[in-house]
Amino acid sequence: MTRFAQQPAEILARLEQLRAADAPTHGGHVLSYVYDSGLAEIDELAAAAMRLVQPVNGLDPTTFTSVAIMEGEVVAFARSLLGGDSDVVGSVTTGGTESCLLAVKTARDNWTGEGVPRLLAPVTVHAAFHKAAHYFGLELDLVPVLPSGVVSADALIERMGPDVALVVVSAPSYPHAALDPIVEVAAAALAQGIDCHVDACIGGWVLPFWSDLPDWDLRVPGVTSLSADLHKFGYAPKGASVLLQRSRDRQRSQYFATTRWPGYPVVNSTMLGSKSAAPLAAAWAIVQALGVDGFAALGASCERSTRALEAVIAGIDGLRVVGHPVGPLLAVATDESVPAERRVDPHHWADQVRSHGWLLQLQPGLEQSDGTVLPPTTHLTITPVTEGVLDDLSAALRIAADEVRGMSAVSPADVLPAEMLGGIGELDSESAWGVLQGIGLAGDGPGLPDRMAPFLALIAALPAPLTERLLTELLARTVEPRG
Ligand SMILES: *Cc1c(COP(=O)(O)O)cnc(C)c1O
């Protein structure tokens, strides 16, 4: 009998204790990060599937053939749902970011232009594309959007040229749930021989069941790739997304292969080497269990709840929903059309909603390259489980607004001494930590402070490289060696 340093039961008891401090993953109180189908059997099925493949290495689907079969079946399901013909192939990746990274890498390696390739997208494109441009050496060209969060097709098309390796449009965008003008942009891209990616990471498994949409998926001529996250509205545990690519020849640039070392021949379809097959197995099992009808029913629930919450927010004096959300997410901003004493700051509102037990996501405002300003907003992602808590959630949204109505937005000067606002230079790890302590963000544990509005005010006020450095310090400090 193995002698353990600690008994398994004690170890698991401690983990349960740690998990109890997490934000709740079920029940609909967290309106981002988690995508709860509300179906306990689906979670159980996923857990059982993960356990069956626990020791498998997804690195090699010729050795672990279950991986090849499951991946092929998930890709076939996604292709059929997302309008792909027999020319469309795909991969299961570890998440939206990896799907986006690989879409960019594929386009970059297929691009035949000279100099530095350009990645063209609306400013609302997911940050994963900033990361991709950074990792893979593309110049990021971000086009301003209209106040509704939608980009004008002409504004994007105007900036197309031979140095553009990829144009990205979203279905819908994460910050504002805007459906980009995919048909127009993809047609122009096709005419100029430019690759066009549809980022349907959040919409991919729910928009197929949304009412009254123009074509937005692989049915659209000129769309060369599309990402759709299984771990969002595919209701799978984290670690699963699908990347579909038009044409086998194009898609082969996604791969990395080398025989130029003395070890085993390497062929990787995705970024990782050895990888878990567990999220794939879970997603595969869920897709089989739900089928198209199951996804349709869950999508319909999301649409009903989204419409209901839109109406609730429209009825709250001082707040407004940004644009015309397409898909189960909303961005909420201050309604500037009412007098100041009736306005509701979206970040004070989010903090107040949190004090009533619901976690919304604060999004900073942004000055675009043309000088126009996208206002600060608060984000809600609606999932099937939302429908069962609609009344309680709506009440909390209304009460919280009443409690903070008329409060002006946090001013950066309230958070940071004036001399610091202009005068922080290069920071090493100790001085960055000192700044965070000085503004009360360096807590004892890894959790966030109760009030996030001051923090968001700082993000808006300080130069981006500085906040990025401070955030890096904050996150790195949460995993300092401990214990
Ligand atoms: C979530 C998301 C991503 C990135 O996905 P991760 O799974 O968080 O890596 C990319 N694009 C959009 C539109 C998203 O919503």
Side-chain angles (χ1 to χ4, degrees), residues 26-53:
H26 287 83
H29 280 250
V30 176
L31 288 103
S32 57
Y33 303 111
V34 290
Y35 301 79
D36 187 354
S37 68
L39 303 172
E41 308 97 291
I42 286 292
D43 290 343
E44 287 307 317
L45 172 64
M50 290 173 85
R51 185 152 193 129
L52 274 175
V53 300

Side-chain angles (χ1 to χ4, degrees), residues 35 94-100 124-129 170-175 199-203 227 229 231-232 238 240-241 329:
Y35 301 79
T94 58
T97 298
E98 192 181 23
S99 290
C100 297
T124 46
V125 77
H126 195 278
F129 291 93
S170 300
S173 72
Y174 187 87
D199 180 7
C201 278
I202 199 155
S227 50
D229 291 352
H231 65 201
K232 288 181 182 158
K238 292 295 177 264
S241 169
L329 46 162

